[in-house]
Amino acid sequence: MSGIEGAFSTTVRAVLTPHPMKEMRVKNNYIQHKVVKAAQGIKICARDNMDKTLAGMPVYVAKYPEEAEVLMAIANKALKEELKSIKLASEGVYVQASILVLLRLCCSS
């Protein structure tokens, strides 16, 4: 996973999704999954503190310890690419986005 300070690894306890046609931000019971495919809004419960995780970034799964270093390098590269695409200026409109990709799309328009 990618965070504000770069890629990090953690043990995932659960991958949750809201019930169909329910809002994720509203407190409801979630459905627990072992596998999630495609682009989908999920909630990840992990062993470590997830406060610095950036929403919208890819999640990589290492099945073996040797894969972790390679996947962390890939995640760091993806994070740098996303951060490069956001251009800052001293004047302009203040935009707050909960998803990094959404912020990039707003800035590119």
Side-chain angles (χ1 to χ4, degrees), residues 76-86 104:
N76 273 324
K77 184 178 178 183
L79 177 64
K80 286 178 185 175
E81 290 295 320
E82 288 295 327
L83 292 177
K84 269 196 251 180
S85 66
I86 299 172
R104 189 179 93 197

Side-chain angles (χ1 to χ4, degrees), residues 87-98 103 106-107:
K87 297 174 185 166
L88 301 176
S90 59
E91 294 180 0
V93 178
Y94 177 75
V95 178
Q96 182 175 355
S98 61
L103 179 61
C106 289
C107 293

Side-chain angles (χ1 to χ4, degrees), residues 4-72:
I4 297 169
E5 298 166 355
F8 64 94
S9 63
T10 186
T11 302
V12 174
R13 292 182 179 172
V15 177
L16 308 171
T17 60
H19 288 278
M21 304 303 291
K22 295 285 182 178
E23 184 70 37
M24 184 175 273
R25 293 175 290 193
V26 178
K27 290 194 176 195
N28 288 320
N29 293 331
Y30 290 96
I31 302 168
Q32 188 168 349
H33 300 276
K34 290 192 182 259
V35 176
V36 178
K37 295 182 181 181
Q40 190 172 354
I42 61 172
K43 183 174 185 175
I44 298 174
C45 298
R47 184 178 59 179
D48 298 325
N49 191 355
M50 302 287 285
D51 288 341
K52 295 182 179 181
T53 305
L54 292 174
M57 295 300 297
V59 176
Y60 300 100
V61 178
K63 294 184 180 183
Y64 304 103
E66 304 85 39
E67 294 176 323
E69 292 297 321
V70 174
L71 293 175
M72 284 181 62

